[in-house]
Amino acid sequence: MDEEPGEVREAARECAFALALLNAHDCSHAERYCIGERSGVRCGAESPWRRCRALRLLLRERARFALATPGIRERLSHAQSLRLQLGGLRGIATALAPDASPRAIRDIHALLVEARARYGSLEALPFEHIVRQISAYRGRRREQR
């Protein structure tokens, strides 16, 4: 689940895009761990961790309508978090390479560095295209029994 915007877990540096990393994407700063049966991902560096958290908050703010959440203080369901993270990253990848079809992002950090270099800042990203990808993202359907 997404933690509340005010709740910071700096000591653990939990990855802002952990669900994306656990679903076939990768990052050069990702450190995977297992505690019992729980798998998780933490960030190995301070600066990228802060950048990813800032981006996730921006995505969440801009995609409120697409996620059907009235405010950014409301907790997201697992499905909403998946849509935000996977759809958001696909939207950024599509904005950078419109002709390419992003299946698996090999390095989330490199993607964000490239996006910042092209657009100047995270706030200047083309959120209308990114939110469109968030809206379009559909997870796997449950099988009917």
Side-chain angles (χ1 to χ4, degrees), residues 13 29 43-54 109 116:
R13 282 200 304 245
H29 293 287
C43 188
E46 182 76 20
S47 179
W49 175 74
R50 291 195 181 283
R51 185 177 305 123
C52 286
R53 280 186 57 81
H109 174 69
R116 246 177 101 194

Side-chain angles (χ1 to χ4, degrees), residues 7-142:
E7 179 184 328
V8 177
R9 294 166 61 177
E10 279 191 60
R13 282 200 304 245
E14 288 292 322
C15 179
F17 293 99
L19 293 176
L21 291 172
L22 294 170
N23 281 285
H25 297 306
D26 206 0
C27 181
S28 58
H29 293 287
E31 296 175 356
R32 296 172 190 272
Y33 65 89
C34 292
I35 299 174
E37 293 181 8
R38 180 179 177 262
S39 295
V41 183
R42 67 177 62 93
C43 188
E46 182 76 20
S47 179
W49 175 74
R50 291 195 181 283
R51 185 177 305 123
C52 286
R53 280 186 57 81
L55 175 63
R56 190 182 67 199
L57 288 174
L58 269 172
L59 287 172
R60 185 154 180 204
E61 178 184 308
R62 304 285 171 91
R64 282 188 314 213
F65 182 76
L67 296 172
T69 58
I72 106 171
R73 291 244 172 245
E74 187 176 314
R75 289 184 70 84
L76 296 179
S77 69
H78 183 76
Q80 289 171 321
S81 294
L82 273 173
R83 285 181 73 192
L84 181 74
Q85 292 181 28
L86 295 171
L89 291 172
R90 286 181 182 176
I92 293 169
T94 302
L96 293 173
D99 298 332
S101 159
R103 291 289 174 217
I105 296 168
R106 293 177 189 237
D107 190 355
I108 293 172
H109 174 69
L111 179 75
L112 298 186
V113 167
E114 182 182 348
R116 246 177 101 194
R118 177 168 303 167
Y119 295 104
S121 71
L122 295 178
E123 292 82 12
L125 290 172
F127 283 101
E128 63 278 357
H129 300 292
I130 296 169
V131 170
R132 212 173 292 141
Q133 288 292 321
I134 292 170
S135 295
Y137 178 80
R138 297 287 179 248
R140 290 181 285 177
R141 299 279 180 216
R142 281 186 163 177

